[in-house]
Amino acid sequence: MPQNLDAVAIRAWSALALDALGQAREEIDAINVYPVADADTGTNLYLTMESATRAVDAVFTGLEPAGPTRAEAVRALAHGALIGARGNSGTILAQLLRGMAQVLADDESAPGPTGDAPHADGERLALALRRAAQSAYEAVAHPVEGTVLTVARAAAEAAGAGRPADDCGAVARAAYDGARAALAATPDQLAVLGRAGVVDAGGRGLVAVLGALVGALSGERVGARNPAAWNTWTSANGGPRTDGHARVEGVDKGTASPAAAECAEGVGSGAGPAFEVIYLLEADDDAVARLRTRLDALGDSLVVVGGDGLWNVHVHVDDAGAAVEAGVEAGRPYRIRITHFGLGDAHAVRAAQPPRERAQRGIVAVVRGQGLGGLYAEAGATTVPARAGEPPASGELVQAVRRAHAREVVLLPNDAELRHTAAAAAEQARSEGVRVALIPTRSPVQGIAALAVHEPDRRFDEDVVAMTAAAGATRYAELAVAERQSWTTAGICQAGDVLGLIDGDVAVIGAEVPATAEVVLDRMLAAGGEMVTLVLGEEVPDDVAERLQKHVRDGHLAVDTVLYRGGPQSALLLIGVE
């Protein structure tokens, strides 16, 4: 059956690509040696894709219940990537998506009621990949082979090499295989990669994105973590020449290889420009053409992407002020970011403010519900509010770290789905000179357990270990109401059923909250426990709280119960067992 690229597939692709880049982020950061060995390519690609994914989700939400057309979805994807592009590779990824959108949004070969073709076939997808590669080469002032550009071109060539015109899945798989093979060859094309014993970091990210496209169109899981291209190249060359070691979040940061370390040491000491400058720019085409010439004379790694009056400008220079002034002459630059490679600090250009003494240590926690927010705030945490179906972006977490204004920060995401977002935020905050430790809490009750043992006067590493141990020793559960009929790990549920999730999986299906909660409590306490934490949502009455406390007292001796109110926007019921 033909596999076509419609609006729903585009949404699935963006979500899968974000997850794939989240899983590969640290790996890609570790092999980042070109054009600057600043170990942030994976993070930048993730942040760029995060912006793109949120834009796609927003257009689906805004056009409910009908949903967007394919053109609207792919344009949102490209626009989100453009306004959120970070770093050299992120900027190029934005242009690749824009190139695809130019083809996929203009396809009217099979128009629907709105004049927009509901899906794209394999031939159209191959054309989109070809346009993406062409536009990326055009956006880079001085294209270099052995980089993400080479990988993109190889993917486009493979996609157009005689694949079935009506099957997007086959075209996507061909593109992925072509990109993977090209990635394997990058160390032979770019000397700095060969010396470091790594493949191109940006190309590795593109392979992950194309693997996600295969998954969205065919359901096939490819390239989950270490692509065959990487394995093939390293095996043929005696294994990866890396001495980078596993990193405990917030404690250490290894280098990809001795050669990569040498590259990093050269930054800012005559080996290349000292600053990375990025900004969005509102300007016409003629002004941008002049800007390209001006910036090309100021530095290197120049990439200008976008169009239709909105552009994303990226360049490496020694005179950051001149790069910004050139943008002012061309149009209206905003969201200006300047990174000093030598110092490793990233900052947004803003008005000077009087310095304020930093606290030694702070806690940043994601919380859902005003009651929980107040509880965390009383414990000294800087909170990031979350709502059902509206998780915070990594930028919101970074802003919270800045608000904490501490030298050391412990980050509590309190949601398993936020692990990649929180990791990217932690990496970005570290680039600003903050020591960040990410404790992978999966529920607010695990965060409460971590806060209970937090001692700010203790050494940072010791505090993090104690908090991590407390969170890990806390089993968690949640009660929710099913919105529709669905298959679950506990059987088929109907709309309106009460679901009891233990450690993230549906374990109980019930008809009412109190009885379902009692079954969940008994199952959790069957394995032992000394304390039960109950966080009740706004709609749960007091008599239910009293019933659950009595149930624990009567059936489980020597087990204490602590009760909190989650308040508005909180989950129906959260349970923690320590």
Side-chain angles (χ1 to χ4, degrees), residues 536-559:
L536 281 70
E538 186 178 32
E539 61 271 41
V540 179
D542 291 338
D543 62 328
V544 172
E546 294 170 2
R547 174 174 167 175
L548 295 180
Q549 287 178 306
K550 184 177 185 302
H551 181 79
V552 174
R553 284 196 307 269
D554 293 347
H556 305 277
L557 299 177
V559 177

Side-chain angles (χ1 to χ4, degrees), residues 61-89:
T61 301
L63 295 174
E64 288 180 343
T69 63
R70 189 203 65 257
E72 288 168 334
V74 76
R75 285 172 180 148
L77 180 76
H79 181 74
L82 175 67
I83 64 175
R86 300 292 295 270
N88 188 69
S89 293

Side-chain angles (χ1 to χ4, degrees), residues 362-368 372-373 376-377 380-386 392 397 400-401 403-404 409-414 418 441 444 447-448 451:
I363 306 290
V364 171
V366 178
V367 293
R368 179 182 160 195
L372 271 180
Y376 273 80
T382 299
T383 61
V384 181
L397 301 186
V401 171
R403 291 200 309 273
V409 170
V410 178
L411 180 56
L412 305 173
N414 292 338
L418 287 177
T441 48
I448 291 172
L451 279 174

